[in-house]
């Protein structure tokens, strides 16, 4: 994947807040700490980590690297690739402002149409967002099975209608986003447990945080991608879902939503 493709993918995280994420990356690079960067921006530590995880998931190469040790489980630093993304974004921002300024001068009603265009930008509440490439499409009598390569040996299988596969032009080699809500992810610590869930993504728990009733558990896959799940506090306790524990995320193929950039 080229740097240009990464830049096209990262804004899909949240178009309206892409510059906030850019600032977060810059502050992490300057401080070497995600906690310090979050405090400087008035963000919660959890929100900052969720933003970092989403950006890493939407990029073939990690933009932020985790370091062991420290108060919150280690420091953080931008990868060389991440620094290139930040530099390219800043140049893009300057060019964007120049173009918008020029359009405003030649179109009296440009602002009106620009607001309409902005409404078309995709935003989603799905906690898990991955960018991958279509590996294969298998057509059945009713639906189509789409296998998405996330990189690093990780794959996701989605079941969509034939109309959806055709409308999205899902063919081998095409890029697509996989969206999965955290409550749809089932966790298990038994590798030999049989289930009807088509997707089984195993890795290591890197964060486990309990809430009033439910908690959030984040699993890091061998390829570096992160999967977040919302489960009950009782489940966290009974399964022993602590940092460092091996666990698997079970996801039904029908719970994977696919999307593509236009």
């Amino acid at each position: 994947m080229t740097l240009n493709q990464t830049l096209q993918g990262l804004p899909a995280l949240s178009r309206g807040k892409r510059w906030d994420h850019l600032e977060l990356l810059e502050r992490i690079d300057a401080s070497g700490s995600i906690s310090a960067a979050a405090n400087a921006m008035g963000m919660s530590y959890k929100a900052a980590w969720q933003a970092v995880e989403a950006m890493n998931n939407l990029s073939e190469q990690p933009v932020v690297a985790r370091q062991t040790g420290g108060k919150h489980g280690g420091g953080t630093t931008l990868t060389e690739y991440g620094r290139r993304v930040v530099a390219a974004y800043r140049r893009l921002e300057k060019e964007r402002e120049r173009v918008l300024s020029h359009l405003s001068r030649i179109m009296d009603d440009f602002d009106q149409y620009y607001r309409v265009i902005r409404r078309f930008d995709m935003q989603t509440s799905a906690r898990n967002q991955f960018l991958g490439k279509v590996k294969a499409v298998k057509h059945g009598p009713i639906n189509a099975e789409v296998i998405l390569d996330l990189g690093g040996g990780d794959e996701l299988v989605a079941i969509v209608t034939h109309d959806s596969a055709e409308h999205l032009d899902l063919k081998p080699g095409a890029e697509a986003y996989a969206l999965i809500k955290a409550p749809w992810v089932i966790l298990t610590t038994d590798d030999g447990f049989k289930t009807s869930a088509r997707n089984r993504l195993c890795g290591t728990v890197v964060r486990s945080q309990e809430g009033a009733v439910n908690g959030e558990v984040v699993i890091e896959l061998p390829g570096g991608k992160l999967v977040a799940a919302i489960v009950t506090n009782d489940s966290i306790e009974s399964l022993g879902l602590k940092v460092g524990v091996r666990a698997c995320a079970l996801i039904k193929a029908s719970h994977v939503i696919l999307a593509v950039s236009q």
Side-chain angles (χ1 to χ4, degrees):
M1 179 180 293
T2 65
L3 179 60
N4 181 55
Q5 290 172 317
T6 295
L7 291 173
Q8 292 176 356
L10 289 177
L13 171 65
S14 178
R15 301 264 181 167
K17 293 184 178 295
R18 62 181 179 272
W19 308 118
D20 292 341
H21 288 86
L22 175 60
E23 182 183 352
L24 177 62
L25 291 179
E26 289 179 319
R27 291 186 179 276
I28 290 174
D29 194 31
S31 65
S33 165
I34 194 171
S35 178
N39 288 336
M41 295 180 64
M43 297 175 64
S44 69
Y45 181 74
K46 179 180 179 181
W49 255 122
Q50 288 181 348
V52 167
E53 290 167 356
M55 285 187 282
N56 274 345
N57 282 349
L58 290 174
S59 176
E60 187 172 288
Q61 300 181 41
V63 294
V64 175
R66 190 195 314 269
Q67 296 176 329
T68 58
K71 180 179 180 181
H72 292 288
T76 50
T77 182
L78 260 61
T79 63
E80 181 59 31
Y81 186 76
R83 292 189 178 96
R84 290 179 59 204
V85 169
V86 170
Y89 249 143
R90 280 305 182 202
R91 290 194 295 269
L92 179 63
E93 182 181 31
K94 291 180 180 179
E95 186 64 20
R96 172 180 174 274
E97 293 303 321
R98 186 188 67 79
V99 172
L100 293 182
S101 177
H102 175 67
L103 289 174
S104 295
R105 288 196 299 270
I106 64 176
M107 290 181 61
D108 294 336
D109 55 354
F110 170 73
D111 287 343
Q112 172 187 349
Y113 294 108
Y114 182 64
R115 285 194 297 270
V116 174
I117 294 171
R118 290 283 296 180
R119 294 171 189 165
F120 299 155
D121 290 335
M122 181 187 75
Q123 296 189 34
T124 172
S125 63
R127 177 69 174 82
N128 297 291
Q129 304 175 57
F130 303 98
L131 176 63
K133 287 188 177 182
V134 176
K135 183 176 180 180
V137 180
K138 301 178 182 179
H139 294 279
I142 301 175
N143 297 321
E145 180 185 83
V146 181
I147 302 176
L148 197 65
D149 183 2
L150 303 181
D154 299 321
E155 293 181 352
L156 270 176
V157 177
I159 296 295
V160 299
T161 64
H162 293 304
D163 288 344
S164 294
E166 182 178 351
H167 175 67
L168 297 175
D169 196 21
L170 296 172
K171 300 176 181 178
E175 287 191 340
Y177 296 96
L179 311 177
I180 309 161
K181 294 179 69 69
W184 293 348
V185 179
I186 300 171
L187 297 182
T188 178
T189 53
D190 185 358
D191 284 354
F193 186 70
K194 292 186 177 181
T195 172
S196 61
R198 184 68 173 82
N199 296 291
R200 186 185 189 89
L201 302 174
C202 298
T204 303
V205 175
V206 294
R207 192 166 73 250
S208 180
Q209 182 177 1
E210 295 187 11
V213 178
N214 297 324
E216 180 185 67
V217 179
V218 178
I219 298 174
E220 183 173 14
L221 306 179
K225 304 296 184 183
L226 298 142
V227 181
I230 299 296
V231 298
T232 64
N233 292 337
D234 288 343
S235 294
I236 292 177
E237 183 177 351
S238 62
L239 292 174
L241 294 170
K242 299 178 181 180
V243 174
V245 171
R246 177 175 171 79
C248 295
L250 309 178
I251 307 165
K252 296 184 65 175
S254 57
H255 284 170
V256 179
I257 300 172
L258 297 182
V260 297
S261 297
Q262 295 187 0

